[in-house]
Amino acid sequence: MKIEISPSLHKPMRQRFKWLLAQAQELPPVGSRPLTFCGRVCGWVIKETIPELLTIDGVRCDGDAVHIGDMRLPTVQANRLLERIANKLNDAGFVKAWRGELLDVFAEGRCLGAIERGAVRPLGLLTQAVHLNAWTPEGRLWVQKRAAHKSTNPNMWDTLVGGLVSAQEDLDVSLLRESEEEAGLYAKDLHALEPMRLITRMHRRLPEGYQVENAWVNDCVLDHDVQPANQDGEVSEIRHISVEEYWEMAVAGEVTLEAELVTLDSICHRASIPDTIA
């Protein structure tokens, strides 16, 4: 589905998208050290956590990097070590919110284990996020407002669906799960789902550590009779808006950085805004 927007918005939208891409690329926090797991590079551990980690058997520091485990292959013992590390970080106050959810631990392109979600940022581990840009047949954009109790970006506008991929979960399965939880959408509602694409890998300094995250995106036009409705209590409002309304909210700083990247990519594509525009 193509959309029509004012030509006056083409240049500022493409420029803002490029600016946002740059904002999503930050060096690790000062003092961070590379982290290895099973002999492979997997993250950037923030300096404040290093003394705590070094009290755990199986964790060592050689001056340049912090190493988790001496084994060269993922084992049950390796995952138990990751569990002890997560508990240690939580007890020391480095875990912003314990979620009781495991995420995959990637190292040099391989999945080698799983760890509590709340521990990934202090360790600078790679995460996978899926997002859904949902449109009405008339070219209006469905958006959600994050609940006030959310630990990250409360009360800000977001993509209709967005969340992290759980351990051992396919990207497509994760998107369907998140769509059901956040918007009450099922596979039958997403019959017009377009192929998933990778927008960028973000590197951002956060209060709890370092975010290294692949942003995966889907687009979908929802039928007229489909009405998204939040199911998990993490959204305070869902509505559809015009592209012009979205742009006003984004410029006013009311939209999360991730959502801006994801949504602007979709708008530029659907409005045929060239990447080469100056």
Side-chain angles (χ1 to χ4, degrees):
M1 181 191 73
K2 295 295 183 181
I3 60 173
E4 296 291 336
I5 62 174
S6 170
S8 65
L9 290 178
H10 286 198
K11 183 175 180 179
M13 281 188 168
R14 179 56 76 180
Q15 288 180 333
R16 186 168 180 86
F17 179 74
K18 293 178 179 179
W19 177 79
L20 288 166
L21 283 176
Q23 295 304 301
Q25 300 301 326
E26 297 178 324
L27 293 173
V30 175
S32 298
R33 293 188 182 181
L35 180 69
T36 73
F37 178 54
C38 295
R40 295 174 180 267
V41 177
C42 66
W44 287 92
V45 57
I46 58 175
K47 67 177 182 179
E48 292 83 2
T49 67
I50 295 175
E52 296 290 340
L53 294 177
L54 294 180
T55 66
I56 302 173
D57 289 339
V59 180
R60 62 183 178 85
C61 179
D62 63 10
D64 296 320
V66 175
H67 307 281
I68 299 175
D70 293 324
M71 62 288 289
R72 286 296 178 263
L73 292 173
T75 63
V76 172
Q77 289 75 20
N79 269 316
R80 287 175 179 168
L81 178 54
L82 291 173
E83 182 179 1
R84 292 199 298 273
I85 288 171
N87 284 315
K88 185 69 172 181
L89 292 176
N90 188 47
D91 292 342
F94 291 109
V95 173
K96 187 174 183 180
W98 188 274
R99 303 293 292 270
E101 176 186 355
L102 294 178
L103 302 187
D104 287 324
V105 175
F106 295 95
E108 298 179 16
R110 294 180 58 185
C111 178
L112 299 182
I115 194 170
E116 155 64 31
R117 174 173 172 168
V120 298
R121 302 309 184 206
L123 300 174
L125 301 176
L126 173 65
T127 53
Q128 311 288 332
V130 291
H131 296 268
L132 176 68
N133 286 311
W135 296 85
T136 70
E138 296 78 24
R140 291 174 67 84
L141 183 68
W142 285 102
V143 293
Q144 57 132 304
K145 191 173 187 180
R146 298 168 66 86
H149 66 261
K150 293 282 286 185
S151 60
T152 305
N153 298 320
N155 295 316
M156 294 192 72
W157 288 96
D158 207 341
T159 52
L160 179 63
V161 174
L164 294 183
V165 178
S166 298
Q168 301 298 307
E169 187 176 50
D170 290 337
L171 295 176
D172 292 335
V173 172
S174 178
L175 183 70
L176 288 174
R177 174 179 56 78
E178 291 288 345
S179 295
E180 179 180 346
E181 294 173 356
E182 295 194 354
L185 299 175
Y186 297 86
K188 63 180 179 60
D189 302 314
L190 304 177
H191 63 86
L193 196 64
E194 298 178 8
M196 189 173 293
R197 61 190 186 276
L198 178 65
I199 296 296
T200 189
R201 176 173 291 183
M202 297 186 296
H203 298 82
R204 299 179 64 206
R205 298 182 181 185
L206 302 178
E208 64 270 29
Y210 193 45
Q211 179 188 31
V212 183
E213 187 163 289
N214 285 338
W216 296 93
V217 186
N218 281 98
D219 279 20
C220 186
V221 178
L222 301 180
D223 292 340
H224 282 108
D225 60 348
V226 175
Q227 176 65 49
N230 180 245
Q231 306 296 310
D232 61 9
E234 296 190 356
V235 174
S236 62
E237 182 181 353
I238 291 178
R239 59 186 170 104
H240 57 71
I241 59 176
S242 68
V243 170
E244 289 74 19
E245 288 176 294
Y246 160 80
W247 179 244
E248 291 178 2
M249 291 161 56
V251 173
E254 299 173 3
V255 183
T256 70
L257 185 146
E258 291 95 330
E260 274 210 69
L261 276 171
V262 168
T263 305
L264 275 176
D265 176 81
S266 181
I267 291 173
C268 289
H269 172 71
R270 292 185 177 279
S272 299
I273 303 176
D275 181 61
T276 55
I277 194 169

